[in-house]
Amino acid sequence: MDATALWQRYQDWLYFHEGLGFYLDISRMRFDDAFVESLQPKFDKAFADMVELEKGAIANPDENRMVGHYWLRNHTLAPTPELQHEIVNTTEQIEAFAEKVKTGGIHPPRAQRFTDIISIGIGGSALGPQFVAQALAPDFPPLKIHFIDNSDPAGIDRILTHLRNSLASTLVLVISKSGGTPEPRNGMIEVKKAYAGQNLDFANYAVAITSADSNLDKLAKSEGWMATFPMYDWVGGRTSELSAVGLVPAALQGIEVGEMLEGAKEMDDATRIHDVKKNPAALLALSWYYAGNGRGEKDMVVLPYKDSLFLFSRYLQQLVMESLGKEKDLDGNTVYQGIAVYGNKGSTDQHAYVQQLREGVANFFATFIEVLEDRNGASPEIDPGVTSGDYLSGFLQGTRQALYENHRDSITVTIPQVNPRTVGALIALYERAVGFYASLVNINAYHQPGVEAGKKAAATILDLQKQVVEVLQTEKTPLSLQEIAEKANASDQIEPIYKIVRHLAANQRGVVLHGHPGEPGSLKISLS
């Protein structure tokens, strides 16, 4: 396509939202008008599906629940007056609590103010708050946040060691819908022990964000924790950033949560328009469908050209891949849907994997995130008439053009600056795009059976470990792996048993391996 035609295509497909100062450019996706027309019936259904979703239709039949994260930023859409009141009341309580903590109205027993936060969560309860903290927290926040988002003992130790001299002024957020998810539960127990080790009553430092009457809710109330905030069954983890899950840590860091909610509401309004060309989320879903032939045949590479947005790709990994990565469609057919997401930031990645993007396997489409404002204030010149921000903008435009010239498609999202409104808008945009795309390919975006399968498999391994230890405790002589498996009634689990005893031995848990560990069949195992 010559330059004149390409310029016209850019103008034809450029979306602009005046209120948000938001641009979306899909002109470098090579679909034609016939393709767009062919998808119109699917979009008609997608628009209708979204209307029913927002009215409170059961969207997750596996758990018999509604999906209502849209109501969090516009309570008037919630299907009952009780829900509407609860949404407003919760936001007000969060803002009031955060203000009291920041000003010292609520403070720990041994300090005038809280100085730090440990946020314990997993999945959406960690990725969303991490992304927002990186994007929006001020340079000198009223409380500095630290995340425990894994069951890695060394990772937990690193956080607790860093805070060893300031635990007495550190507030702890425990975020878990059920209270039984292993990773946040493990983190909570370890952190609780650390507080006890300094003779600190954990209840004076702890806040629960959980479902009403969950195990965690009951624990927090029985122990007299500082506060509890609700997680709703109609908000999934990957769409929970604008619920208490994300608003509590954001407010404590001095981030304007009301502005985040307002930006999301504005984007929600824009993505309710039943016209593909005037709806930015529909334009994204259209582009995704085109890129991967409706089967996820190409990966989504996310390249934000701003350091503060470098966690956006990780956030989108869960939102997109957990929502769209499904074996079955809504009719029960095996379809293996999904879109793989990866990325870091520009222009860093131009010195990493952009070489392959331009000249290697064409198994992707790129999404550039552009921020118009370079910094707060004027920039010095690096060269005559040129600033470092000019270079960054040039790198983005140059990479986009280099990819296009070699038949690599791309999308460009442009925001005026990184602030609470634009971040809220980005979150809302991609939440809606995921919902539209799921409808286009006839899958359920709001359940995650694969995640539950992984949890069940992990629980099975831990049960097997208990059986193995019990067998070793009853035997006086070393046993082979085969003998342990037989005595544990797990003859088909020899490999997992080997990995269990190897792990226990490596961590001085009383298990001894006799023989060569690289030759598992010859090993004998005993307790020390």
Side-chain angles (χ1 to χ4, degrees):
M1 186 178 293
D2 65 31
T4 301
L6 195 57
W7 167 235
Q8 186 60 53
R9 180 174 174 81
Y10 176 80
Q11 295 177 79
D12 291 343
W13 285 101
L14 181 66
Y15 172 88
F16 177 63
H17 188 290
E18 187 172 1
L20 290 166
F22 169 92
Y23 301 80
L24 175 62
D25 164 29
I26 63 167
S27 65
R28 267 48 174 186
M29 305 296 293
R30 297 167 199 267
F31 57 79
D32 56 22
D33 290 344
F35 174 80
V36 178
E37 187 176 343
S38 72
L39 280 188
Q40 190 58 53
K42 289 181 180 289
F43 270 110
D44 290 341
K45 180 179 182 299
F47 292 139
D49 288 346
M50 204 58 66
V51 170
E52 292 305 307
L53 187 78
E54 291 193 340
K55 286 181 179 178
I58 298 299
N60 190 339
D62 293 356
E63 301 173 22
N64 193 37
R65 64 176 174 85
M66 303 178 292
V67 173
H69 48 273
Y70 309 103
W71 310 333
L72 296 167
R73 48 262 195 173
N74 188 347
H75 68 278
T76 63
L77 298 174
T80 68
E82 292 78 15
L83 271 181
Q84 293 175 15
H85 174 75
E86 187 174 3
I87 291 166
V88 173
N89 190 49
T90 297
T91 303
E92 290 176 350
Q93 288 179 350
I94 290 169
E95 292 181 314
F97 173 77
E99 187 62 25
K100 288 179 181 178
V101 170
K102 290 184 293 185
T103 58
I106 296 175
H107 61 87
R110 301 186 191 178
Q112 292 184 338
R113 292 192 182 184
F114 284 103
T115 59
D116 293 85
I117 306 164
I118 297 175
S119 182
I120 304 172
I122 191 73
S125 297
L127 287 166
Q130 285 173 333
F131 161 54
V132 167
Q134 177 68 31
L136 298 176
D139 292 335
F140 301 100
L143 284 83
K144 186 176 181 181
I145 197 163
H146 315 265
F147 292 95
I148 293 177
D149 63 350
N150 199 2
S151 198
D152 175 14
I156 295 171
D157 284 349
R158 187 173 187 179
I159 296 295
L160 292 175
T161 299
H162 182 74
L163 292 171
R164 65 186 181 279
N165 295 326
S166 53
L167 275 191
S169 62
T170 298
L171 182 150
V172 181
L173 303 177
V174 183
I175 309 174
S176 174
K177 183 175 281 190
S178 68
T181 303
E183 293 92 342
R185 175 181 172 272
N186 297 351
M188 178 193 70
I189 291 172
E190 290 226 15
V191 170
K192 199 172 183 179
K193 289 180 182 293
Y195 276 74
Q198 293 193 15
N199 295 316
L200 300 172
D201 183 354
F202 185 68
N204 293 326
Y205 302 83
V207 174
I209 302 173
T210 187
S211 298
D213 298 322
S214 70
N215 291 337
L216 178 57
D217 187 43
K218 292 173 183 175
L219 177 68
K221 289 175 179 174
S222 68
E223 294 185 351
W225 287 19
M226 292 173 61
T228 60
F229 295 99
M231 292 179 74
Y232 304 113
D233 65 356
W234 39 267
V235 176
R238 57 191 174 276
T239 56
S240 66
E241 175 52 30
L242 298 178
S243 72
V245 167
L247 297 185
V248 173
L252 288 168
Q253 294 170 84
I255 297 168
E256 293 291 339
V257 298
E259 287 292 300
M260 287 178 62
L261 292 169
E262 183 57 33
K265 179 179 180 297
E266 284 193 68
M267 184 58 76
D268 283 342
D269 291 343
T271 58
R272 290 192 182 99
I273 295 172
H274 289 199
D275 182 332
V276 174
K277 259 196 153 176
K278 297 178 181 178
N279 184 319
L283 291 172
L284 282 180
L286 168 77
S287 300
W288 298 355
Y289 193 99
Y290 168 76
N293 293 320
R295 294 189 293 272
E297 293 174 358
K298 292 189 176 181
D299 303 339
M300 183 191 309
V301 181
V302 181
L303 295 170
Y305 276 65
K306 208 66 172 178
D307 287 357
S308 61
L309 296 179
F310 88 93
L311 289 179
F312 191 45
S313 61
R314 286 183 56 195
Y315 170 76
L316 289 181
Q317 277 181 337
Q318 183 189 18
L319 177 62
V320 174
M321 296 177 72
E322 192 167 276
S323 298
L324 303 182
K326 303 295 161 64
E327 180 179 356
K328 304 287 186 180
D329 68 10
L330 292 173
D331 300 319
N333 301 310
T334 299
V335 291
Y336 298 120
Q337 277 289 356
I339 301 175
V341 179
Y342 64 92
N344 179 28
K345 66 180 180 182
S347 64
T348 299
D349 289 337
Q350 290 178 212
H351 299 270
Y353 54 73
V354 168
Q355 166 65 30
Q356 177 169 314
L357 297 187
R358 188 176 191 278
E359 298 186 6
V361 182
N363 61 347
F364 72 95
F365 62 99
T367 299
F368 296 100
I369 312 292
E370 178 184 27
V371 181
L372 294 178
E373 182 182 85
D374 291 338
R375 58 158 47 100
N376 183 16
S379 291
E381 292 186 357
I382 302 300
D383 296 314
V386 178
T387 68
S388 56
D390 296 338
Y391 269 103
L392 189 65
S393 179
F395 292 147
L396 187 158
Q397 293 187 54
T399 302
R400 172 177 174 270
Q401 180 63 20
L403 292 179
Y404 184 76
E405 287 173 352
N406 224 25
H407 304 283
R408 270 69 168 162
D409 290 340
S410 69
I411 298 164
T412 302
V413 172
T414 302
I415 57 176
Q417 60 181 198
V418 179
N419 61 40
R421 285 181 74 244
T422 57
V423 168
L426 284 174
I427 289 170
L429 171 67
Y430 278 88
E431 285 176 350
R432 183 83 69 171
V434 161
F436 281 149
Y437 183 87
S439 181
L440 296 181
V441 299
N442 195 38
I443 59 171
N444 182 354
Y446 304 106
H447 71 160
Q448 50 283 335
V451 175
E452 300 307 315
K455 291 179 182 178
K456 291 175 182 177
T460 299
I461 292 295
L462 292 175
D463 287 339
L464 180 60
Q465 178 173 308
K466 292 177 183 177
Q467 293 173 263
V468 167
V469 172
E470 288 173 1
V471 167
L472 293 174
Q473 287 172 337
T474 61
E475 297 295 325
K476 296 182 179 179
T477 58
L479 299 175
S480 67
L481 292 168
Q482 180 73 46
E483 290 168 333
I484 294 172
E486 291 172 356
K487 292 180 181 293
N489 296 315
S491 297
D492 59 343
Q493 297 294 309
I494 297 177
E495 182 180 323
I497 289 172
Y498 166 60
K499 292 181 177 179
I500 286 168
V501 296
R502 184 179 65 181
H503 177 255
L504 293 174
N507 287 278
Q508 294 80 50
R509 301 278 294 281
V511 171
V512 179
L513 305 184
H514 306 274
H516 195 294
E519 298 174 359
S522 65
L523 285 177
K524 294 285 187 176
I525 298 96
S526 67
L527 293 182
S528 57

